[in-house]
PDB file of all heavy atoms in Angstrom:
ATOM      1  N   GLY S  96     -60.487 -40.531 -12.521  1.00 58.00           N
ATOM      2  CA  GLY S  96     -60.297 -39.197 -12.376  1.00 58.00           C
ATOM      3  C   GLY S  96     -59.701 -38.623 -13.562  1.00 58.00           C
ATOM      4  O   GLY S  96     -58.712 -38.976 -14.099  1.00 58.00           O
ATOM      5  N   GLY S  97     -60.270 -37.549 -14.087  1.00 56.00           N
ATOM      6  CA  GLY S  97     -59.667 -36.916 -15.281  1.00 56.00           C
ATOM      7  C   GLY S  97     -60.439 -37.221 -16.617  1.00 56.00           C
ATOM      8  O   GLY S  97     -61.430 -37.858 -16.468  1.00 56.00           O
ATOM      9  N   TYR S  98     -59.921 -36.819 -17.597  1.00 57.00           N
ATOM     10  CA  TYR S  98     -60.486 -36.938 -18.948  1.00 57.00           C
ATOM     11  C   TYR S  98     -60.083 -38.208 -19.593  1.00 57.00           C
ATOM     12  O   TYR S  98     -58.849 -38.483 -19.620  1.00 57.00           O
ATOM     13  CB  TYR S  98     -60.087 -35.746 -19.777  1.00 57.00           C
ATOM     14  CG  TYR S  98     -60.770 -35.760 -21.155  1.00 57.00           C
ATOM     15  CD1 TYR S  98     -62.139 -35.429 -21.401  1.00 57.00           C
ATOM     16  CD2 TYR S  98     -59.989 -36.005 -22.265  1.00 57.00           C
ATOM     17  CE1 TYR S  98     -62.605 -35.441 -22.609  1.00 57.00           C
ATOM     18  CE2 TYR S  98     -60.517 -36.065 -23.594  1.00 57.00           C
ATOM     19  CZ  TYR S  98     -61.860 -35.720 -23.649  1.00 57.00           C
ATOM     20  OH  TYR S  98     -62.394 -35.815 -25.001  1.00 57.00           O
ATOM     21  N   GLY S  99     -60.951 -38.968 -20.013  1.00 54.00           N
ATOM     22  CA  GLY S  99     -60.645 -40.386 -20.684  1.00 54.00           C
ATOM     23  C   GLY S  99     -60.254 -40.203 -22.150  1.00 54.00           C
ATOM     24  O   GLY S  99     -59.920 -39.159 -22.595  1.00 54.00           O
ATOM     25  N   GLY S 100     -60.350 -41.275 -22.895  1.00 57.00           N
ATOM     26  CA  GLY S 100     -60.103 -41.246 -24.267  1.00 57.00           C
ATOM     27  C   GLY S 100     -61.235 -40.598 -25.160  1.00 57.00           C
ATOM     28  O   GLY S 100     -62.145 -40.021 -24.563  1.00 57.00           O
ATOM     29  N   PRO S 101     -61.163 -41.000 -26.420  1.00 61.00           N
ATOM     30  CA  PRO S 101     -62.303 -40.426 -27.316  1.00 61.00           C
ATOM     31  C   PRO S 101     -63.601 -41.124 -26.998  1.00 61.00           C
ATOM     32  O   PRO S 101     -63.561 -42.223 -26.500  1.00 61.00           O
ATOM     33  CB  PRO S 101     -61.808 -40.750 -28.718  1.00 61.00           C
ATOM     34  CG  PRO S 101     -60.788 -41.816 -28.573  1.00 61.00           C
ATOM     35  CD  PRO S 101     -60.150 -41.621 -27.121  1.00 61.00           C
ATOM     36  N   PRO S 102     -64.756 -40.356 -27.256  1.00 61.00           N
ATOM     37  CA  PRO S 102     -65.953 -40.971 -26.911  1.00 61.00           C
ATOM     38  C   PRO S 102     -66.297 -42.065 -27.889  1.00 61.00           C
ATOM     39  O   PRO S 102     -65.772 -42.195 -28.943  1.00 61.00           O
ATOM     40  CB  PRO S 102     -66.978 -39.842 -27.065  1.00 61.00           C
ATOM     41  CG  PRO S 102     -66.327 -38.908 -27.981  1.00 61.00           C
ATOM     42  CD  PRO S 102     -64.835 -39.047 -27.709  1.00 61.00           C
ATOM     43  N   PRO S 103     -67.272 -43.027 -27.510  1.00 59.00           N
ATOM     44  CA  PRO S 103     -67.567 -44.136 -28.526  1.00 59.00           C
ATOM     45  C   PRO S 103     -68.326 -43.528 -29.676  1.00 59.00           C
ATOM     46  O   PRO S 103     -68.855 -42.357 -29.631  1.00 59.00           O
ATOM     47  CB  PRO S 103     -68.515 -45.000 -27.570  1.00 59.00           C
ATOM     48  CG  PRO S 103     -69.031 -44.042 -26.558  1.00 59.00           C
ATOM     49  CD  PRO S 103     -67.888 -43.026 -26.353  1.00 59.00           C
ATOM     50  N   PRO S 104     -68.290 -44.213 -30.820  1.00 58.00           N
ATOM     51  CA  PRO S 104     -69.005 -43.723 -31.958  1.00 58.00           C
ATOM     52  C   PRO S 104     -70.513 -43.456 -31.691  1.00 58.00           C
ATOM     53  O   PRO S 104     -71.184 -44.072 -30.926  1.00 58.00           O
ATOM     54  CB  PRO S 104     -68.793 -44.754 -33.060  1.00 58.00           C
ATOM     55  CG  PRO S 104     -67.784 -45.715 -32.472  1.00 58.00           C
ATOM     56  CD  PRO S 104     -67.725 -45.418 -31.048  1.00 58.00           C
ATOM     57  N   GLN S 105     -71.082 -42.414 -32.403  1.00 59.00           N
ATOM     58  CA  GLN S 105     -72.459 -42.091 -32.250  1.00 59.00           C
ATOM     59  C   GLN S 105     -73.373 -43.047 -32.888  1.00 59.00           C
ATOM     60  O   GLN S 105     -74.523 -43.057 -32.515  1.00 59.00           O
ATOM     61  CB  GLN S 105     -72.701 -40.649 -32.742  1.00 59.00           C
ATOM     62  CG  GLN S 105     -71.794 -39.586 -32.194  1.00 59.00           C
ATOM     63  CD  GLN S 105     -72.188 -39.387 -30.673  1.00 59.00           C
ATOM     64  OE1 GLN S 105     -73.486 -39.565 -30.359  1.00 59.00           O
ATOM     65  NE2 GLN S 105     -71.333 -39.002 -29.859  1.00 59.00           N
ATOM     66  N   ASP S 106     -72.932 -43.718 -33.932  1.00 55.00           N
ATOM     67  CA  ASP S 106     -73.848 -44.577 -34.634  1.00 55.00           C
ATOM     68  C   ASP S 106     -73.838 -45.950 -34.262  1.00 55.00           C
ATOM     69  O   ASP S 106     -74.202 -46.957 -35.034  1.00 55.00           O
ATOM     70  CB  ASP S 106     -73.564 -44.377 -36.118  1.00 55.00           C
ATOM     71  CG  ASP S 106     -72.165 -44.772 -36.522  1.00 55.00           C
ATOM     72  OD1 ASP S 106     -71.508 -45.125 -35.587  1.00 55.00           O
ATOM     73  OD2 ASP S 106     -71.897 -44.764 -37.755  1.00 55.00           O
ATOM     74  N   GLY S 107     -73.439 -46.381 -33.075  1.00 53.00           N
ATOM     75  CA  GLY S 107     -73.277 -47.740 -32.581  1.00 53.00           C
ATOM     76  C   GLY S 107     -72.132 -48.606 -33.165  1.00 53.00           C
ATOM     77  O   GLY S 107     -72.165 -49.746 -33.134  1.00 53.00           O
ATOM     78  N   GLY S 108     -71.197 -47.873 -33.810  1.00 51.00           N
ATOM     79  CA  GLY S 108     -69.979 -48.582 -34.317  1.00 51.00           C
ATOM     80  C   GLY S 108     -70.201 -49.270 -35.707  1.00 51.00           C
ATOM     81  O   GLY S 108     -69.413 -50.130 -35.983  1.00 51.00           O
ATOM     82  N   GLN S 109     -71.224 -48.870 -36.477  1.00 53.00           N
ATOM     83  CA  GLN S 109     -71.389 -49.596 -37.675  1.00 53.00           C
ATOM     84  C   GLN S 109     -71.172 -48.721 -38.852  1.00 53.00           C
ATOM     85  O   GLN S 109     -71.499 -49.131 -40.015  1.00 53.00           O
ATOM     86  CB  GLN S 109     -72.938 -49.961 -37.780  1.00 53.00           C
ATOM     87  CG  GLN S 109     -73.363 -50.914 -36.677  1.00 53.00           C
ATOM     88  CD  GLN S 109     -72.550 -52.281 -36.745  1.00 53.00           C
ATOM     89  OE1 GLN S 109     -72.265 -52.740 -37.653  1.00 53.00           O
ATOM     90  NE2 GLN S 109     -72.203 -52.667 -35.498  1.00 53.00           N
ATOM     91  N   SER S 110     -70.525 -47.621 -38.731  1.00 52.00           N
ATOM     92  CA  SER S 110     -70.217 -46.770 -39.911  1.00 52.00           C
ATOM     93  C   SER S 110     -68.904 -47.332 -40.478  1.00 52.00           C
ATOM     94  O   SER S 110     -67.892 -47.481 -39.885  1.00 52.00           O
ATOM     95  CB  SER S 110     -70.132 -45.213 -39.634  1.00 52.00           C
ATOM     96  OG  SER S 110     -69.011 -45.067 -38.886  1.00 52.00           O
ATOM     97  N   GLY S 111     -68.940 -47.575 -41.885  1.00 53.00           N
ATOM     98  CA  GLY S 111     -67.541 -47.866 -42.491  1.00 53.00           C
ATOM     99  C   GLY S 111     -67.451 -49.490 -42.365  1.00 53.00           C
ATOM    100  O   GLY S 111     -68.148 -50.113 -41.679  1.00 53.00           O
ATOM    101  N   PRO S 112     -66.504 -49.945 -43.147  1.00 56.00           N
ATOM    102  CA  PRO S 112     -66.405 -51.404 -43.098  1.00 56.00           C
ATOM    103  C   PRO S 112     -65.716 -51.991 -41.946  1.00 56.00           C
ATOM    104  O   PRO S 112     -65.822 -53.164 -41.677  1.00 56.00           O
ATOM    105  CB  PRO S 112     -65.505 -51.637 -44.394  1.00 56.00           C
ATOM    106  CG  PRO S 112     -64.664 -50.399 -44.646  1.00 56.00           C
ATOM    107  CD  PRO S 112     -65.634 -49.307 -44.108  1.00 56.00           C
ATOM    108  N   TYR S 113     -64.940 -51.111 -41.093  1.00 59.00           N
ATOM    109  CA  TYR S 113     -64.228 -51.689 -39.996  1.00 59.00           C
ATOM    110  C   TYR S 113     -64.765 -51.224 -38.661  1.00 59.00           C
ATOM    111  O   TYR S 113     -64.022 -51.236 -37.647  1.00 59.00           O
ATOM    112  CB  TYR S 113     -62.709 -51.248 -40.020  1.00 59.00           C
ATOM    113  CG  TYR S 113     -62.257 -51.825 -41.319  1.00 59.00           C
ATOM    114  CD1 TYR S 113     -61.690 -51.027 -42.390  1.00 59.00           C
ATOM    115  CD2 TYR S 113     -61.937 -53.278 -41.479  1.00 59.00           C
ATOM    116  CE1 TYR S 113     -61.210 -51.570 -43.432  1.00 59.00           C
ATOM    117  CE2 TYR S 113     -61.330 -53.777 -42.604  1.00 59.00           C
ATOM    118  CZ  TYR S 113     -60.991 -52.895 -43.607  1.00 59.00           C
ATOM    119  OH  TYR S 113     -60.432 -53.434 -44.754  1.00 59.00           O
ATOM    120  N   GLY S 114     -65.912 -50.750 -38.578  1.00 54.00           N
ATOM    121  CA  GLY S 114     -66.587 -50.337 -37.308  1.00 54.00           C
ATOM    122  C   GLY S 114     -66.748 -48.900 -37.033  1.00 54.00           C
ATOM    123  O   GLY S 114     -67.021 -48.532 -35.944  1.00 54.00           O
ATOM    124  N   GLY S 115     -66.319 -48.013 -37.943  1.00 54.00           N
ATOM    125  CA  GLY S 115     -66.514 -46.572 -37.640  1.00 54.00           C
ATOM    126  C   GLY S 115     -65.279 -45.929 -37.142  1.00 54.00           C
ATOM    127  O   GLY S 115     -64.336 -46.515 -36.668  1.00 54.00           O
ATOM    128  N   GLY S 116     -65.324 -44.551 -37.245  1.00 57.00           N
ATOM    129  CA  GLY S 116     -64.184 -43.813 -36.807  1.00 57.00           C
ATOM    130  C   GLY S 116     -64.525 -42.830 -35.746  1.00 57.00           C
ATOM    131  O   GLY S 116     -65.689 -42.789 -35.338  1.00 57.00           O
ATOM    132  N   TYR S 117     -63.653 -41.983 -35.349  1.00 57.00           N
ATOM    133  CA  TYR S 117     -63.912 -40.973 -34.426  1.00 57.00           C
ATOM    134  C   TYR S 117     -64.331 -39.797 -35.065  1.00 57.00           C
ATOM    135  O   TYR S 117     -63.686 -39.212 -36.039  1.00 57.00           O
ATOM    136  CB  TYR S 117     -62.552 -40.762 -33.592  1.00 57.00           C
ATOM    137  CG  TYR S 117     -62.723 -39.605 -32.588  1.00 57.00           C
ATOM    138  CD1 TYR S 117     -63.453 -39.726 -31.507  1.00 57.00           C
ATOM    139  CD2 TYR S 117     -62.031 -38.291 -32.914  1.00 57.00           C
ATOM    140  CE1 TYR S 117     -63.626 -38.744 -30.603  1.00 57.00           C
ATOM    141  CE2 TYR S 117     -62.062 -37.383 -31.986  1.00 57.00           C
ATOM    142  CZ  TYR S 117     -62.879 -37.541 -30.867  1.00 57.00           C
ATOM    143  OH  TYR S 117     -62.932 -36.509 -30.020  1.00 57.00           O
ATOM    144  N   SER S 118     -65.397 -39.153 -34.569  1.00 60.00           N
ATOM    145  CA  SER S 118     -65.779 -37.885 -35.012  1.00 60.00           C
ATOM    146  C   SER S 118     -65.955 -36.983 -33.768  1.00 60.00           C
ATOM    147  O   SER S 118     -66.518 -37.423 -32.670  1.00 60.00           O
ATOM    148  CB  SER S 118     -67.140 -37.864 -35.686  1.00 60.00           C
ATOM    149  OG  SER S 118     -68.272 -38.276 -34.930  1.00 60.00           O
ATOM    150  N   SER S 119     -65.453 -35.653 -33.769  1.00 63.00           N
ATOM    151  CA  SER S 119     -65.490 -34.944 -32.605  1.00 63.00           C
ATOM    152  C   SER S 119     -66.914 -34.534 -32.347  1.00 63.00           C
ATOM    153  O   SER S 119     -67.699 -34.176 -33.101  1.00 63.00           O
ATOM    154  CB  SER S 119     -64.684 -33.645 -32.915  1.00 63.00           C
ATOM    155  OG  SER S 119     -65.302 -32.915 -33.946  1.00 63.00           O
ATOM    156  N   PRO S 120     -67.246 -34.526 -31.058  1.00 67.00           N
ATOM    157  CA  PRO S 120     -68.543 -34.190 -30.637  1.00 67.00           C
ATOM    158  C   PRO S 120     -68.780 -32.664 -30.773  1.00 67.00           C
ATOM    159  O   PRO S 120     -67.921 -31.892 -30.711  1.00 67.00           O
ATOM    160  CB  PRO S 120     -68.584 -34.602 -29.151  1.00 67.00           C
ATOM    161  CG  PRO S 120     -67.211 -34.571 -28.696  1.00 67.00           C
ATOM    162  CD  PRO S 120     -66.335 -34.948 -29.879  1.00 67.00           C
TER     163      PRO S 120
END
Side-chain angles (χ1 to χ4, degrees):
Y98 182 74
Q105 299 292 333
D106 58 358
Q109 298 301 322
S110 68
Y113 299 110
Y117 172 73
S118 64
S119 63

